[in-house]
Amino acid sequence: MSTIVIGLSLSFLLFLLAAGLTLIFGMLGVINFAHGALYMLGAYVCFQIVNWTGSFWIGLLVAPLVVAALGGAMEIAALKPVYERDHIYQLLLTFGFILVIEEAVKIVWGLDYKQVPTPDLFSQPVALFGSQIPSYRLFIIGFGATVSLALFLLLERSRLGMVIRAASSDADMAQSLGIDVAKVRTAVFALGAGLAALGGVVAAPLVPIELGMGFSVIIDCFVVVIIGGLGNIRGAILAALLLGMARAAGFTYAPEWVELITFVLLIATLMTRPAGLFSRKGRAA
Amino acid sequence: MSALALENCDVFYGKAQALHHVSIDVGRAEVVSLIGRNGAGKSTLLKAAMGLNAVRSGRRMFDDRDVTALKPHELGRLGIAFVPENRRIFPNLTVEENLRIATVMGRTGPWTLERIYELFPRLEERASQGGDTLSGGEQQMLALSRGLLTNPEVLLLDEPTEGLAPLIVDHLVEAIRVINAEGIAILLVEQNLKVPLKLARRQFVIDNGRVVWSGTTAELQANRARIETLISV
Ligand SMILES: Nc1ncnc2c1ncn2[C@@H]1O[C@H](COP(=O)(O)OP(=O)(O)O)[C@@H](O)[C@H]1O
Ligand SMILES: [Mg+2]
């Protein structure tokens, strides 16, 4: 039972990150290497807010908004000027973001590990089907499912979602219909950054907050995005479930094989369905 | 008064010049066609009119106002609509979303979703299907309707009849007449004379990125043999 709970909570955490990454890729055509750094920044900002206010819930609400605003500013100030150039410049720039964010975090918070306590509401384990389950894990599952559903509704049912989908698939055509695609790009980058930060906030009570925390997660997150199909948000959720559950099962039954499982899944996908395990016909991205 | 004009425009792809001092104009509520063989520069010219290709020298005019510096979405909001070759339907949007996306910018006018469905009932039948599931003829109807729903002053049509069965071509020609009768100016691009002779009042012929002939439809009829050689492959 606890394997399933851990697997599901890991899946939703991965999905929050992968969703942002795949949205940004779909819209900008660029892999955002700084995604892990934004995740880390989300955790640090949450730590700071908890320090000031004593409330994890304020952190959960405010930290993603702060990082989203920062993401929007980064897109306008740095990415926008290089869209006309080759993709490699945008990739390099997102690498640059990592360095800037890491240095800024060092200056503001130093090198010590930080911690965010588990919110009181979810600090006690609960008994479920005969096992003791950390209730914060259950919160992650419920919250993650809610955010995923909201994101799905935003993209598939709302006007903004329609605009994002249109601009992602054919920016020039969208522009000639009067849509300011430059603004849509900024909004999508901000949304993706906010989702990364949300992942960082949700993870904050579970892991030590430190400079390298983004790195270990982002690798899994790339794997999810590739298995799900670049730019494919439905694929990302299925891939996150697959990888999250596989990893949790691995931790329980074969801990030394966990890293291998991840890459076996990745390689198997690339060999059989390079456009992603869940790609629709004729739509690789 | 012209609704849309390019004046002495040069357009480049990288270092290669695709248009040389091109001038073309479309009057208000007028149908003008631009004819030329494959690779002559027709699509390049339409994209330059829509702002999707930069005009290096020369001017782009809309309602006799200089709009050379405007971006594509600003030109769209002013009232220029683009129905591209290959239709460019959004494959990840439903048929109805492909129509509603044209109304997001908020230009209102006589063209509404209801009227589009009256003109092309097929689109209503397929409203909830994916944009990538339509036949060629349906895609063309959808692309034209999407342009119309922006309630434009000028409609840029890039080879609207290409690859369509004769019956569907007739239907489309009728639809274009209806649209123009409501006061929308049309710049119609074609590779042959068939549809331009039916619809347009004035004609421009383009070859190798230069306008090589222009005149009224009657003048084109009088010089038909010469024009045919300019556009034949
Ligand atoms: N995106 C592009 N990049 C480089 N060259 C292009 C591009 N699009 C068109 N061209 C070139 O510009 C010329 C005119 O093309 P185009 O306007 O598409 O012709 P038409 O629509 O009349 O068939 C052709 O020589 C074509 O190869
Ligand atoms: Mg063409």
Side-chain angles (χ1 to χ4, degrees):
Chain A
M1 193 61 217
S2 73
T3 303
I4 295 178
V5 170
I6 289 174
L8 280 176
S9 59
L10 184 59
S11 298
F12 279 116
L13 195 59
L14 282 175
F15 176 67
L16 289 181
L17 283 154
L21 198 58
T22 212
L23 271 175
I24 290 173
F25 178 82
M27 185 67 230
L28 278 59
V30 163
I31 299 275
N32 177 26
F33 282 116
H35 217 61
L38 293 166
Y39 161 87
M40 167 192 73
L41 189 61
Y44 271 102
V45 173
C46 175
F47 161 79
Q48 192 61 54
I49 292 171
V50 171
N51 231 3
W52 281 336
T53 67
S55 165
F56 174 76
W57 306 111
I58 297 179
L60 181 69
L61 192 73
V62 175
L65 293 178
V66 170
V67 176
L70 187 77
M74 279 157 52
E75 195 275 343
I76 292 172
L79 277 171
K80 191 158 292 201
V82 298
Y83 282 133
E84 301 294 307
R85 309 258 185 103
D86 200 83
H87 274 341
I88 189 75
Y89 289 94
Q90 296 149 41
L91 278 180
L92 283 174
L93 210 69
T94 70
F95 258 123
F97 288 158
I98 301 182
L99 304 178
V100 173
I101 291 170
E102 285 190 349
E103 284 308 311
V105 165
K106 265 190 231 169
I107 291 168
V108 177
W109 288 287
L111 288 166
D112 299 340
Y113 284 32
K114 306 288 182 210
Q115 252 187 328
V116 168
T118 309
D120 289 340
L121 194 56
F122 297 106
S123 56
Q124 300 302 317
V126 291
L128 206 67
F129 301 107
S131 14
Q132 290 288 311
I133 308 284
S135 58
Y136 186 69
R137 291 275 182 182
L138 293 177
F139 162 74
I140 295 182
I141 296 173
F143 182 74
T146 309
V147 172
S148 306
L149 184 69
L151 193 62
F152 177 81
L153 290 176
L154 171 78
L155 288 174
E156 296 290 326
R157 296 288 141 80
S158 79
R159 210 166 134 109
L160 176 64
M162 178 172 80
V163 168
I164 290 174
R165 280 180 288 138
S168 298
S169 87
D170 190 337
D172 275 356
M173 197 60 234
Q175 295 198 76
S176 60
L177 296 169
I179 290 165
D180 189 348
V181 171
K183 285 213 179 91
V184 181
R185 284 204 188 99
T186 306
V188 167
F189 200 86
L191 177 64
L195 284 168
L198 193 61
V201 171
V202 168
L206 296 175
V207 296
I209 299 168
E210 41 102 18
L211 275 176
M213 69 181 282
F215 189 72
S216 49
V217 153
I218 206 64
I219 303 284
D220 284 348
C221 182
F222 281 139
V223 173
V224 164
V225 168
I226 292 167
I227 293 179
L230 283 167
N232 181 344
I233 196 112
R234 286 169 206 246
I237 192 151
L238 295 171
L241 283 169
L242 184 69
L243 191 67
M245 296 310 284
R247 288 198 66 124
F251 276 123
T252 312
Y253 303 111
E256 64 274 29
W257 295 95
V258 166
E259 298 308 322
L260 200 63
I261 293 173
T262 305
F263 290 101
V264 167
L265 280 173
L266 178 64
I267 290 165
T269 301
L270 288 177
M271 280 169 57
T272 54
R273 307 201 55 174
L277 215 46
F278 310 103
S279 62
R280 278 193 282 160
K281 182 168 63 78
R283 215 190 135 215
Chain B
M1 282 290 274
S2 74
L4 178 71
L6 294 178
E7 297 175 355
N8 292 312
C9 286
D10 287 332
V11 171
F12 289 75
Y13 290 116
K15 290 204 171 82
Q17 187 162 4
L19 295 182
H20 304 261
H21 296 298
V22 163
S23 295
I24 188 170
D25 65 290
V26 187
R28 289 203 173 139
E30 188 185 26
V31 181
V32 167
S33 56
L34 174 68
I35 315 158
R37 55 184 139 220
N38 197 16
K42 307 181 294 299
S43 299
T44 301
L45 188 148
L46 286 197
K47 285 183 207 156
M50 190 71 241
L52 297 170
N53 282 336
V55 173
R56 174 119 23 126
S57 68
R59 296 197 302 173
R60 180 193 301 116
M61 307 293 287
F62 181 82
D63 276 346
D64 297 318
R65 215 185 104 198
D66 188 336
V67 293
T68 314
L70 296 196
K71 301 199 176 86
H73 73 272
E74 295 166 324
L75 296 168
R77 286 174 192 185
L78 271 185
I80 304 177
F82 180 39
V83 181
E85 99 189 293
N86 310 328
R87 289 83 191 206
R88 288 167 76 170
I89 300 303
F90 300 110
N92 51 346
L93 269 61
T94 65
V95 169
E96 185 157 320
E97 283 176 332
N98 265 285
L99 293 168
R100 282 200 294 121
I101 191 82
T103 66
V104 166
M105 69 168 145
R107 274 184 71 90
T108 52
W111 289 97
T112 59
L113 202 56
E114 291 71 42
R115 276 202 68 201
I116 293 293
Y117 285 155
E118 250 167 60
L119 188 64
F120 300 120
R122 283 299 280 278
L123 295 181
E124 184 165 24
E125 287 165 30
R126 315 213 165 225
S128 59
Q129 280 180 223
D132 51 357
T133 64
L134 300 184
S135 70
E138 290 165 345
Q139 281 186 30
Q140 188 57 60
M141 289 173 197
L142 182 55
L144 176 64
S145 302
R146 183 177 60 184
L148 271 182
L149 275 175
T150 66
N151 282 294
E153 254 178 72
V154 184
L155 197 54
L156 309 171
L157 294 179
D158 199 348
E159 302 198 31
T161 64
E162 203 224 330
L164 301 185
L167 214 65
I168 300 175
V169 171
D170 292 344
H171 185 29
L172 212 58
V173 167
E174 254 338 285
I176 294 172
R177 280 213 179 94
V178 170
I179 292 161
N180 174 243
E182 303 219 349
I184 297 179
I186 293 172
L187 177 51
L188 170 72
V189 159
E190 284 288 349
Q191 277 197 40
N192 56 56
L193 298 175
K194 213 170 122 231
V195 178
L197 285 177
K198 282 186 196 158
L199 289 171
R201 205 172 68 84
R202 287 188 301 133
Q203 317 274 345
F204 289 80
V205 179
I206 185 171
D207 198 25
N208 281 321
R210 292 183 169 84
V211 172
V212 290
W213 188 90
S214 66
T216 64
T217 300
E219 285 165 349
L220 186 146
Q221 293 278 26
N223 292 285
R224 187 152 179 174
R226 205 188 121 223
I227 307 282
E228 295 273 11
T229 63
L230 283 174
I231 63 172
S232 66
V233 276

